[in-house]
Amino acid sequence: MLGSGGLVGRALVQWLEEREYEVLHVRNRRHIDLRVPGAMDVFNNSGVSYVFFLACEVGGSKFIENSQRELQTGIIESNIKMYQVVFPWLAAHDVPFVFTSSYLQGTANPYGAIKRLGEQWIHNL
């Protein structure tokens, strides 16, 4: 579970564990930084059969409406790095996954743009 430390991630982990699924976690970037090339290799021999990709750098809820160019650029770059690490790993290991987007993916802000990019990336996989 990528993003198991978030609101949705914690609830989904609880639901899965109550049904006796074994869940491997990436809680947040302090746990495993998915922006670092090779970060997913920790799972190479773990028998991962499915991934929930809930991780997304948003900089907090205030980011979505924030117009600070530096913050927006940093968040976009951070997510692109994460996509560059995670999506190729998933494809190379032929692991099925769910990528969580957002109803805000259609908005004209950096958060919407990064979610649209993720959707297009997985569409091209």
Side-chain angles (χ1 to χ4, degrees), residues 10-68:
R10 286 190 308 265
L12 184 54
V13 165
Q14 180 180 350
W15 187 89
L16 290 167
E17 288 178 342
E18 286 171 356
R19 285 150 184 83
E20 299 185 12
Y21 287 97
E22 179 183 357
V23 180
L24 303 175
H25 299 266
V26 175
R27 291 173 188 85
N28 54 47
R29 70 173 173 239
R30 288 175 299 282
H31 178 220
I32 296 176
D33 192 340
L34 297 173
R35 301 170 299 175
V36 175
M40 291 290 293
D41 291 346
V42 69
F43 299 111
N44 283 351
N45 298 315
S46 63
V48 171
S49 60
Y50 200 86
V51 169
F52 291 92
F53 189 162
L54 307 176
C56 186
E57 176 71 49
V58 296
S61 60
K62 293 179 183 175
F63 163 73
I64 294 171
E65 297 300 324
N66 194 312
S67 63
Q68 291 180 347

Side-chain angles (χ1 to χ4, degrees), residues 51-121:
V51 169
F52 291 92
F53 189 162
L54 307 176
C56 186
E57 176 71 49
V58 296
S61 60
K62 293 179 183 175
F63 163 73
I64 294 171
E65 297 300 324
N66 194 312
S67 63
Q68 291 180 347
R69 185 174 178 86
E70 292 173 12
L71 179 59
Q72 292 175 349
T73 301
I75 298 300
I76 291 170
E77 289 174 358
S78 184
N79 282 294
I80 289 172
K81 287 178 183 177
M82 188 177 353
Y83 292 170
Q84 289 173 323
V85 170
V86 174
F87 290 143
W89 188 92
L90 292 169
H93 292 84
D94 200 28
V95 176
F97 65 96
V98 168
F99 170 75
T100 56
S101 188
S102 170
Y103 72 93
L104 295 172
Q105 59 81 24
T107 58
N109 59 36
Y111 181 76
I114 202 65
K115 287 301 191 172
R116 286 190 303 278
L117 175 62
E119 289 176 7
Q120 187 61 48
W121 202 316

